[in-house]
Amino acid sequence: MRTDPVVPDGWWATGIDGARGLYEVFGRRPASLEGAVCTLMRFDPFPLNLSVIVELADAPDPLPGRWRRKGYDAASMRLQFLECRDVRSSGALPTGGCSIDVEPVGDHTRARLCAEDFELELTSRFASVRVDPFRRGDPDSVITLFS
């Protein structure tokens, strides 16, 4: 008998729609944002939504079989933050990407993206995550935000 995994409390993805799938892909352990790089960002000022692509330094171990068969060796995430508020931003998103920090705050999610001369902070009423495989160093494997 198989049971659905319970996403751990206190994990950065707690409360985010799709967190269970991320947890499953990572072998029922919390994926880490340590060393993760936000490579693409799109902010829609109306209705205050943020979409980002994040390449994870962390990878599932072992990689899912369907990923291995297709030659993938890394994971990225599509994060969407909807109905944002308390948005503060300074600087321009650097071409080399930036770090990202996400944390649950009550019924909301707080996100912070930062790099030298760049910072964006916001609180989102609704957030979702989707994990996608890619091949490191392969430009044809890079995921585009809106395909």
Side-chain angles (χ1 to χ4, degrees):
M1 180 176 187
R2 183 178 167 162
T3 60
D4 287 334
V6 176
V7 175
D9 288 333
W11 179 36
W12 66 265
T14 300
I16 294 178
D17 187 46
R20 187 182 310 169
L22 179 63
Y23 189 65
E24 273 289 308
V25 166
F26 276 76
R28 294 190 178 193
R29 73 165 173 84
S32 172
L33 287 179
E34 186 174 334
V37 177
C38 175
T39 59
L40 194 60
M41 176 181 85
R42 179 174 177 172
F43 186 75
D44 293 317
F46 182 79
L48 291 176
N49 296 337
L50 174 70
S51 299
V52 296
I53 298 291
V54 177
E55 290 184 11
L56 296 170
D58 190 9
D61 185 21
L63 290 168
R66 66 187 182 279
W67 289 15
R68 287 191 309 267
R69 285 189 295 277
K70 293 181 179 181
Y72 297 119
D73 62 356
S76 70
M77 297 182 305
R78 295 176 190 230
L79 284 165
Q80 290 191 304
F81 302 96
L82 307 174
E83 297 181 29
C84 299
R85 63 184 170 98
D86 305 326
V87 178
R88 295 182 314 139
S89 178
S90 65
L93 183 65
T95 57
C98 64
S99 65
I100 184 168
D101 183 43
V102 178
E103 67 177 311
V105 178
D107 292 342
H108 297 80
T109 302
R110 182 171 295 138
R112 181 173 183 258
L113 287 76
C114 62
E116 188 174 331
D117 300 323
F118 170 75
E119 185 171 13
L120 173 69
E121 290 186 48
L122 58 83
T123 302
S124 172
R125 184 166 170 236
F126 178 79
S128 66
V129 63
R130 185 178 114 192
V131 65
D132 292 304
F134 74 101
R135 286 180 286 281
R136 291 195 191 279
D138 181 356
D140 293 333
S141 180
V142 174
I143 297 167
T144 56
L145 190 55
F146 299 100
S147 51

